[in-house]
């Protein structure tokens, strides 16, 4: 009987503990819905930025990383490289432990004001549960990247901080036509100049206006986060999505999964970036990617902006995730303005 009573008490307290933990996570997510997220300090000359590799391997990319280093130095910044930035472990830039070590050291070093990821690829999700953000919370800094780096953007957003979706260290060898725009938008975001974009409207656009915090990133990564504590709450927010190298049916599958998870129920709007290199299936999908997306969100009354220049194409303008934005989707031109 004593053993039975002990077991009942143990189960009771375990249930209380689990409920309390879940309530803490829920409160954290609700907080990011309502409050203004914390801006890491904007950069100034003399600040230090680290370039590191949290995901894919860098093969023969030393010259490109040198270009990235020179760019930051031209802005008056000091630059250090992650200890393991050029390591190789199959498709990863070093082991999980090595990549985690570089990222953790950057989070912990209060003299580092920004973490610039060298590239995406795959591997960020393997680090998420190994990182301790205690020092980052005390001394926040900008985390910069796109694609696979969406995993970190989501995690940082749920902690209540802003981050930057933008070009990465190996992005500087791309089309010179847009390179200056890409660089300047990143510099403006880092140094605190207000971002404001005007783009030509697509015939697929769903017209309207909305204001809310900007969240999102790579569609595959958003899909991957579903059901975890790193999944973001899109209530009252404007969602940005981009993707590369997927079949149309799989894009639909991921969007349907987000829909079933409630991603669009209280969303204020959607910004669609690049959907690049869509694979051809043996059975054609039958519509454009734009129409595919519109079909998924047909029942919702919010604006949808297509062709925003961010993602895996040559033009990749910086976005500040967590910042309140004003989105106006109009017939001829559309605007996205970031609040100060």
């Amino acid at each position: 009987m004593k053993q039975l009573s002990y077991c009942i008490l143990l189960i009771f307290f375990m249930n209380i503990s689990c409920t309390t933990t879940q309530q803490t996570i829920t409160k954290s997510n609700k907080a990011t819905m309502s409050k203004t997220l914390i801006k890491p300090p904007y950069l100034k000359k003399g600040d230090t930025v680290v370039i590191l590799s949290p995901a894919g391997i860098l093969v023969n990319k030393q010259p490109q990383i040198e270009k990235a280093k020179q760019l930051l130095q031209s802005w008056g910044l000091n630059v250090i490289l992650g200890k393991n930035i050029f390591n190789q472990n199959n498709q990863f830039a070093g082991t999980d432990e090595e990549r985690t070590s570089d990222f953790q050291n950057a989070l912990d070093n209060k003299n580092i004001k920004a973490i610039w990821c060298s590239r995406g690829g795959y591997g960020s999700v393997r680090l998420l549960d190994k990182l301790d953000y205690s020092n980052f919370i005390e001394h926040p800094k900008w985390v910069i990247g796109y694609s696979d780096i969406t995993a970190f953007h989501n995690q940082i957003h749920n902690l209540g901080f802003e981050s930057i979706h933008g070009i990465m260290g190996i992005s500087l060898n791309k089309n010179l036509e847009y390179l200056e725009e890409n660089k300047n938008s990143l510099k403006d975001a880092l140094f605190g100049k207000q971002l404001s974009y005007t783009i030509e409207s697509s015939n697929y656009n769903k017209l309207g206006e909305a204001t809310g915090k900007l969240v999102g990133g790579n569609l595959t990564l958003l899909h991957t986060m579903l059901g975890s504590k790193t999944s973001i709450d899109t209530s009252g927010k404007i969602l940005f999505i981009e993707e590369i190298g997927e079949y149309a049916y799989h894009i639909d599958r991921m969007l349907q999964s987000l829909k079933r998870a409630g991603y669009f129920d209280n969303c204020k709007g959607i910004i669609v970036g690049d959907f690049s290199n869509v694979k051809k299936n043996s059975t054609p999908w039958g519509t454009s990617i734009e129409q595919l997306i519109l079909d998924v969100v047909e029942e919702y009354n919010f604006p949808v902006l297509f062709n925003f220049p961010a993602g895996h194409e040559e033009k990749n303008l910086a976005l500040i995730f967590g910042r309140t934005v004003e989105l106006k989707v109009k017939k001829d031109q559309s605007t996205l303005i970031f609040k100060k």
Side-chain angles (χ1 to χ4, degrees), residues 149-163:
I149 309 307
T150 298
F152 297 117
H153 289 312
N154 281 206
Q155 191 170 58
I156 290 166
H157 179 78
N158 284 348
L159 288 171
F161 295 85
E162 295 182 353
S163 59

Side-chain angles (χ1 to χ4, degrees), residues 255-316:
L255 288 170
Q256 295 291 350
S257 295
L258 295 187
K259 182 177 182 178
R260 297 185 67 243
Y263 248 61
F264 307 128
D265 290 349
N266 297 298
C267 185
K268 297 291 288 293
I270 295 178
I271 299 173
V272 182
D274 301 318
F275 272 66
S276 308
N277 301 338
V278 177
K279 294 179 181 178
K280 292 184 178 181
N281 193 36
S282 55
T283 304
W285 176 258
T287 69
S288 65
I289 294 299
E290 289 90 345
Q291 190 58 53
L292 182 160
I293 293 169
L294 288 175
D295 289 344
V296 173
V297 300
E298 181 181 11
E299 67 206 68
Y300 303 100
N301 186 29
F302 50 61
V304 180
L305 173 65
F306 287 97
N307 297 341
F308 190 88
H312 286 81
E313 296 296 330
E314 303 291 355
K315 192 172 183 179
N316 188 6

Side-chain angles (χ1 to χ4, degrees), residues 34-252:
S34 58
K35 73 176 184 180
T36 299
L37 270 64
I38 295 172
K39 302 180 185 68
Y42 291 124
L43 299 192
K44 61 184 185 302
K45 289 186 178 181
D47 282 344
T48 298
V49 177
V50 63
I51 306 174
L52 49 73
S53 300
I57 190 173
L58 292 178
V59 179
N60 301 321
K61 302 294 186 184
Q62 286 87 343
Q64 291 169 247
I65 297 302
E66 182 59 30
K67 281 185 181 180
K69 183 177 178 181
Q70 290 172 3
L71 174 66
L72 295 176
Q73 290 171 335
S74 75
W75 295 348
L77 301 169
N78 298 318
V79 186
I80 59 176
L81 301 182
K83 178 182 176 183
N84 301 297
I85 185 172
F86 295 117
N87 283 12
Q88 299 182 11
N89 181 49
N90 298 320
Q91 77 169 57
F92 302 115
T95 64
D96 289 352
E97 290 70 27
E98 289 169 336
R99 301 192 325 279
T100 300
S101 175
D102 276 3
F103 210 98
Q104 187 66 61
N105 288 338
L107 291 174
D108 291 343
N109 188 338
K110 65 181 181 180
N111 294 319
I112 291 175
K113 305 302 181 183
I115 299 171
W116 196 15
C117 298
S118 67
R119 63 158 297 183
Y122 170 68
S124 298
V125 68
R126 296 166 65 105
L127 310 189
L128 292 181
D129 296 329
K130 303 176 187 295
L131 293 170
D132 179 356
Y133 282 87
S134 301
N135 290 317
F136 170 86
I137 291 170
E138 294 297 320
H139 303 282
K141 57 203 70 186
W142 294 103
V143 174
I144 311 153
Y146 70 99
S147 193
D148 195 63
I149 309 307
T150 298
F152 297 117
H153 289 312
N154 281 206
Q155 191 170 58
I156 290 166
H157 179 78
N158 284 348
L159 288 171
F161 295 85
E162 295 182 353
S163 59
I164 296 176
H165 181 282
I167 60 172
M168 294 187 279
I170 64 169
S171 301
L172 302 181
N173 66 329
K174 293 192 174 182
N175 196 324
L176 293 177
E177 181 181 356
Y178 301 116
L179 184 56
E180 288 305 312
E181 265 188 281
N182 294 343
K183 293 190 297 186
N184 289 338
S185 70
L186 177 59
K187 183 180 180 182
D188 289 346
L190 285 170
F191 282 82
K193 185 176 178 180
Q194 186 176 18
L195 298 182
S196 178
Y197 301 123
T198 300
I199 67 170
E200 296 299 315
S201 288
S202 164
N203 291 331
Y204 286 101
N205 282 353
K206 190 173 179 180
L207 307 185
E209 299 183 8
T211 300
K213 295 184 184 71
L214 183 64
V215 296
N218 179 262
L219 179 59
T220 293
L221 268 295
L222 297 175
H223 182 254
T224 299
M225 300 296 118
L226 286 178
S228 75
K229 60 186 177 183
T230 317
S231 185
I232 52 175
D233 190 325
T234 56
S235 298
K237 299 172 186 175
I238 294 173
L239 177 66
F240 168 81
I241 54 174
E242 62 85 23
E243 190 52 87
I244 185 171
E246 293 289 351
Y247 291 102
Y249 76 84
H250 189 52
I251 292 170
D252 183 73

